[in-house]
Amino acid sequence: MSSSAENPTLTAEITKPSTEIATETAQSAKKITLKTSDDQIFEVEESVAMEFATVKSFFEDAPSSTDTVPLPNVPAKPFSQVIEFCKEQIKFKANPDETEKKRSNSEFVKEKTNEDLVEMIPVANYLEIKDLLDVLNQAVADRIQNRSVEYVRSFFGIDNDFTSEEEALLREEHAWAFEDVDED
Amino acid sequence: MKRAQQSQNQELTVRRSTRLTDKFQKLSDELTTKIFSKLEDDPKTLIRCSTVSKKWASFVFKKTAHLSFIFSCTPEKNRSFPNSKLHSHISSSAIPAIMNAFSNLESIEIKLCRCPSRTPQPPCCQNITKMNVVWTGDDSQADTCLGFDVGLLSTIQGTKLSHALSEGKKLANPPKFFCNGLLLDNDRPPPENIEKGCDYEC
């Protein structure tokens, strides 16, 4: 089975190699082969792949297709984390438990770096995984909550294009909002 | 595959921070505004975001359709209770500037904070009986609601005052509002433990 673990270059780049990808949970389960933008091949169980609305509609158009599904906008690293999320999610489909689901979701984002979260957002969006997109957006919002403007800028890598006068004016207009900032 | 590996190698030499920056710039406008929509109940962070860049300012102020404030009774003019770790309090003096800046609001929600007392022992807002919200449009299509009587608040349990401007429809031309006054009738002196702030989830 092809997986990221076979590619030493990629493994060096991924901080937490997703060993789960290589783990077979059920031998009989139908696998779907997906190819990422950086030419990594992922074989995922059909039930997991159907969590990706984009992939699901691909198979609705061609139900008997055994072709590799290309994912041109999806790099391997965030994709392996997205798979990790979806594997957790499908457990709750059979066994809905909102409290446990929330806990699992917050556990998932807790151990992710800012970079991880940000890389996953476009992937979740492209694959149309609404729940994940929601969880990621919330996680990013939580991480910038009550932080300084400078922190938010560096978090998102955005250059300040206000003149110092313009910025001072904005800050003055909403002075209360710039008090009690959390430490960076 | 070999080409892919080479490009991976090249990417490894690029510093992580630079890569992060690149990734964020790839976040489309649509995806960025989705993050802001998670901050509708946190105008404080939203306003800070508006100071990040001109583009963000226009996202924040023009695309925000709903806002939710947590309001504390103001013991002194221009002053609100200290913020808690869980939420920010907005003082009434901040409202006019907020309403000027957010130009496409469809609805706002105002929640009263039961700070600093979780249970009415004594309730800090015991004597608030009425909250007046006055909205005035800046053209003839004025949208006005007066004298919102929110009832006795002595057993404040997440009392909410919510008024969808123009019944949820966007007002045309130009949909700008300002608040003439948001009054809390409160005869009580400021609570003594005000400096402790509020640690309750309102």
Side-chain angles (χ1 to χ4, degrees):
Chain A
M1 176 178 167
S2 294
S3 83
S4 57
E6 288 174 14
N7 183 335
T9 319
L10 188 69
T11 313
E13 198 236 354
I14 296 177
T15 45
K16 289 175 222 153
S18 185
T19 48
E20 280 169 64
I21 311 295
T23 314
E24 306 229 6
T25 45
Q27 289 196 330
S28 58
K30 189 186 166 191
K31 295 281 173 78
I32 287 183
T33 311
L34 304 148
K35 190 167 98 176
T36 58
S37 59
D38 40 0
D39 290 332
Q40 297 297 301
I41 302 290
F42 284 79
E43 279 183 27
V44 299
E45 277 173 40
E46 188 181 23
S47 57
V48 176
M50 288 307 117
E51 289 292 294
F52 316 146
T54 312
V55 174
K56 195 178 177 185
S57 62
F58 178 93
F59 281 97
E60 276 162 5
D61 292 343
S64 56
S65 170
T66 51
D67 294 350
T68 298
V69 183
L71 301 172
N73 297 325
V74 178
K77 183 188 161 219
F79 187 49
S80 63
Q81 296 180 332
V82 166
I83 292 172
E84 181 197 333
F85 177 87
C86 290
K87 280 189 171 174
E88 278 299 308
Q89 286 294 297
I90 53 175
K91 289 182 194 162
F92 296 108
K93 278 203 162 164
N95 224 339
D97 181 341
E98 281 306 311
T99 326
E100 186 55 24
K101 191 172 168 180
K102 265 194 181 156
R103 196 201 55 78
S104 158
N105 287 351
S106 70
E107 196 77 3
F108 175 79
V109 293
K110 211 169 103 186
E111 56 192 34
K112 300 287 177 286
T113 65
N114 293 346
E115 186 181 357
D116 289 339
L117 295 180
V118 167
E119 287 178 351
M120 274 190 281
I121 287 177
V123 174
N125 185 57
Y126 175 75
L127 294 173
E128 293 177 51
I129 314 164
K130 205 184 153 291
D131 282 358
L132 176 59
L133 194 56
D134 209 56
V135 166
L136 293 172
N137 285 337
Q138 188 62 59
V140 170
D142 290 346
R143 288 193 188 185
I144 60 172
Q145 186 179 37
N146 215 30
R147 296 303 195 123
S148 71
V149 176
E150 292 74 19
Y151 179 90
V152 178
R153 273 188 199 128
S154 71
F155 189 109
F156 286 87
I158 289 178
D159 293 327
N160 179 15
D161 57 356
F162 284 113
T163 64
S164 50
E165 289 82 12
E166 285 170 333
E167 189 177 336
L169 201 70
L170 272 171
R171 284 177 185 258
E172 193 188 331
E173 204 162 289
H174 305 282
W176 63 277
F178 297 92
E179 294 163 2
D180 301 322
V181 185
D182 286 356
E183 297 270 326
D184 287 349
Chain B
M1 193 55 119
K2 203 157 195 179
R3 267 179 58 194
Q5 285 186 6
Q6 279 170 358
S7 81
Q8 286 291 347
N9 277 329
Q10 281 166 6
E11 198 174 359
L12 272 174
T13 62
V14 184
R15 284 179 51 191
R16 280 178 80 83
S17 59
T18 320
R19 284 180 47 212
L20 183 58
T21 303
D22 290 345
K23 294 277 161 44
F24 262 119
Q25 281 164 353
K26 279 181 202 157
L27 270 196
S28 66
D29 296 353
E30 185 205 345
L31 293 179
T32 312
T33 47
K34 276 188 181 156
I35 296 171
F36 296 145
S37 71
K38 297 287 178 196
L39 291 165
E40 283 172 353
D41 59 353
D42 186 6
K44 191 172 190 174
T45 303
L46 261 188
I47 286 172
R48 282 189 196 161
C49 285
S50 77
T51 321
V52 163
S53 73
K54 287 180 179 170
K55 200 173 185 181
W56 276 39
S58 103
F59 289 159
V60 167
F61 291 135
K62 298 209 171 111
K63 299 227 166 144
T64 305
H66 308 281
L67 268 188
S68 175
F69 306 141
I70 294 180
F71 207 75
S72 66
C73 45
T74 0
E76 293 164 32
K77 209 183 169 201
N78 296 340
R79 184 154 178 242
S80 65
F81 285 135
N83 294 319
S84 76
K85 286 196 166 61
L86 296 163
H87 57 261
S88 306
H89 293 152
I90 295 195
S91 113
S92 57
S93 61
I95 305 278
I98 293 174
M99 301 315 290
N100 269 328
F102 290 87
S103 54
N104 282 318
L105 283 185
E106 289 171 30
S107 72
I108 67 164
E109 182 180 73
I110 296 165
K111 295 176 187 171
L112 290 184
C113 184
R114 49 191 149 168
C115 165
S117 171
R118 188 186 191 88
T119 52
Q121 292 293 339
C124 69
C125 302
Q126 192 177 32
N127 293 332
I128 299 177
T129 53
K130 202 165 80 175
M131 183 145 72
N132 291 316
V133 186
V134 183
W135 303 108
T136 314
D138 55 1
D139 58 16
S140 57
Q141 302 180 355
D143 177 78
T144 310
C145 70
L146 285 164
F148 250 79
D149 195 335
V150 292
L152 283 166
L153 302 181
S154 52
T155 52
I156 294 175
Q157 298 240 328
T159 303
K160 282 181 187 177
L161 173 69
S162 176
H163 173 59
L165 300 177
S166 265
E167 293 158 344
K169 278 178 280 178
K170 275 193 187 176
L171 273 200
N173 194 28
K176 201 171 183 182
F177 290 84
F178 56 90
C179 180
N180 280 343
L182 199 131
L183 310 167
L184 294 174
D185 302 333
N186 189 1
D187 299 330
R188 287 178 73 89
E192 284 169 12
N193 50 345
I194 179 172
E195 294 304 335
K196 285 183 188 163
C198 161
D199 280 327
Y200 307 127
E201 201 167 350
C202 287

